[in-house]
């Protein structure tokens, strides 16, 4: 894949702590970095919990084809037929266990993305992971196979994780901001991300990761509830409900812009400096 020279270990860059990019009261916060720390919703800082036996959710093996990287896009504005938030639905999802959550995701018809999907793609990985990675949404391969990041971008992601000694089966849980494929791989709209957020929120609550990594702008929007550019957000420690959040480039962007792979590696080293995946 031509990655080897770019994914060598080197020291992480200095934490760049910046002010909150959104008004007070907003969910996204930027706070000083704490090495290897986990911050609980009450604000208590502790070291990451010991790893439990990983439970890896995988669909039946099937041939993997490569997905061509989608073109660079800004988040699309919400369409006229917006999906409106349903507090009762969110409250119900907040009480689901893993099995109930995945059933609910697979049966979901809360937004227009259900109309064109082949199947919903809940997530994959270690349910006791210290790192949770959040992508944008399934592409064609993921829609067909039911697992996130199985195309070309996924191979790059696996290489990046491998350079840190991690695999998607161990220490990492991978989810997407939206669980159904946006038609033609378009960027998910704001109301689609909002409609899917209770699922992501419940996944975060169940995994209880020590660190969240937003892969690309829609993921950052989902986790931080703010539209930020990746260039501006990189190298900073944000928080979502007490959990540190690091923002980096989406692997599909890196396939189109290989000159930025080094920056993504810096971001992962920065993340490792905040919360060690071990
Ligand atoms: N891109 C994403 O954001 N998620 C996937 O699952 C696949 C490609």
């Amino acid at each position: 894949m031509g990655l080897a020279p770019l994914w060598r270990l080197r020291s992480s860059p200095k934490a760049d702590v910046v002010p909150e990019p959104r008004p007070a009261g907003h969910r996204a916060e930027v706070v000083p970095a704490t090495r290897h720390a986990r911050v609980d919703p009450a604000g208590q800082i502790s070291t990451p919990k010991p790893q439990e036996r990983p439970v890896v959710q995988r669909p039946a093996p099937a041939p993997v084809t490569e997905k061509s990287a989608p073109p660079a896009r800004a988040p699309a504005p919400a369409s006229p037929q917006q999906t409106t938030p349903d507090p009762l639905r969110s409250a119900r999802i907040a009480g689901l266990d893993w099995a109930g959550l995945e059933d609910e995701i697979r049966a979901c018809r809360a937004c227009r993305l259900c109309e064109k999907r082949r199947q919903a793609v809940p997530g994959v990985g270690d349910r006791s992971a210290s790192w949770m990675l959040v992508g944008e949404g399934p592409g064609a391969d993921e829609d067909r196979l039911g697992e996130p990041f199985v195309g070309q971008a996924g191979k790059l992601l696996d290489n990046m994780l491998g350079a840190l000694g991690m695999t998607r089966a161990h220490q990492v849980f991978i989810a997407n901001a939206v669980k159904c494929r946006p038609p033609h791989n378009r960027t998910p709209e704001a109301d689609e991300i909002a409609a899917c957020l209770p699922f992501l929120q419940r996944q975060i609550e169940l995994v209880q990761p020590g660190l969240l990594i937003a892969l690309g702008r829609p993921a950052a929007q989902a986790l931080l509830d703010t539209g930020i550019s990746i260039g501006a957000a990189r190298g900073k420690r944000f928080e979502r409900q007490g959990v540190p959040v690091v923002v980096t480039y989406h692997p599909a962007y890196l396939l189109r812009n290989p000159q930025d792979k080094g920056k993504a590696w810096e971001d992962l080293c920065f993340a490792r400096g905040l919360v060690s995946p071990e």
Side-chain angles (χ1 to χ4, degrees):
M1 306 261 315
L3 297 172
L6 286 170
W7 300 112
R8 274 198 302 270
L9 291 174
R10 64 172 184 262
S11 58
S12 60
K14 191 169 161 42
D16 183 4
V17 179
V18 298
E20 167 67 27
R22 293 274 291 203
H26 209 265
R27 271 190 306 193
E29 290 176 56
V30 183
V31 298
T34 308
R35 187 175 173 84
H36 296 198
R38 172 190 295 268
V39 186
D40 72 18
Q44 297 297 312
I45 298 177
S46 60
T47 51
K49 65 184 185 296
Q51 291 301 303
E52 295 158 24
R53 229 165 96 96
V55 179
V56 181
Q57 294 296 299
R58 284 181 185 278
V64 176
T65 60
E66 292 198 341
K67 175 188 167 199
S68 60
R73 299 152 301 183
S79 77
Q81 332 89 315
Q82 278 205 10
T83 304
T84 48
D86 175 352
L88 288 179
R89 170 177 171 266
S90 300
R92 188 168 42 75
I93 291 169
L96 295 174
D97 61 11
W98 274 113
L101 180 61
E102 295 200 343
D103 286 350
E104 186 94 11
I105 290 171
R106 291 199 170 93
C108 181
R109 302 198 63 79
C111 83
R112 65 189 84 77
L113 293 183
C114 68
E115 291 161 14
K116 299 275 166 61
R117 73 172 178 222
R118 195 179 298 198
Q119 61 183 312
V121 181
V124 69
D126 182 348
R127 290 179 172 180
S128 302
S130 53
W131 281 22
M132 183 161 166
L133 274 53
V134 180
E136 179 175 322
D141 294 326
E142 292 77 19
D143 179 64
R144 188 167 54 80
L145 298 173
E147 178 171 336
F149 283 103
V150 289
Q152 201 175 354
K155 288 177 188 161
L156 175 58
L157 183 62
D158 286 342
N159 285 349
M160 293 159 71
L161 292 173
L164 289 166
M166 305 164 84
T167 69
R168 62 174 63 204
H170 185 53
Q171 299 161 321
V172 183
F173 190 88
I174 304 175
N176 277 311
V178 296
K179 313 301 188 205
C180 298
R181 183 192 180 198
H184 311 296
N185 293 350
R186 68 163 168 76
T187 302
E189 294 180 357
D191 66 319
E192 294 161 350
I193 292 174
C196 227
L197 194 57
F199 292 143
L200 183 61
Q201 172 65 21
R202 188 61 187 147
Q203 287 176 315
I204 294 169
E205 287 165 2
L206 289 169
V207 174
Q208 294 188 275
L211 178 77
L212 290 158
I213 298 186
L215 302 170
R217 193 167 158 165
Q221 177 168 348
L223 290 175
L224 303 175
D225 197 17
T226 185
I228 43 177
S229 81
I230 302 303
R234 291 184 53 244
K236 295 166 189 166
R237 182 191 192 276
F238 296 88
E239 271 197 8
R240 177 187 174 83
Q241 297 166 348
V243 182
V245 179
V246 169
V247 175
T248 190
Y249 295 109
H250 191 283
Y253 166 87
L254 295 174
L255 291 175
R256 299 189 302 271
N257 300 276
Q259 74 280 4
D260 281 341
K261 284 180 182 174
K263 291 183 188 170
W265 178 243
E266 284 175 9
D267 297 339
L268 293 182
C269 291
F270 173 68
R272 184 181 52 184
L274 294 178
V275 176
S276 169
E278 290 95 44

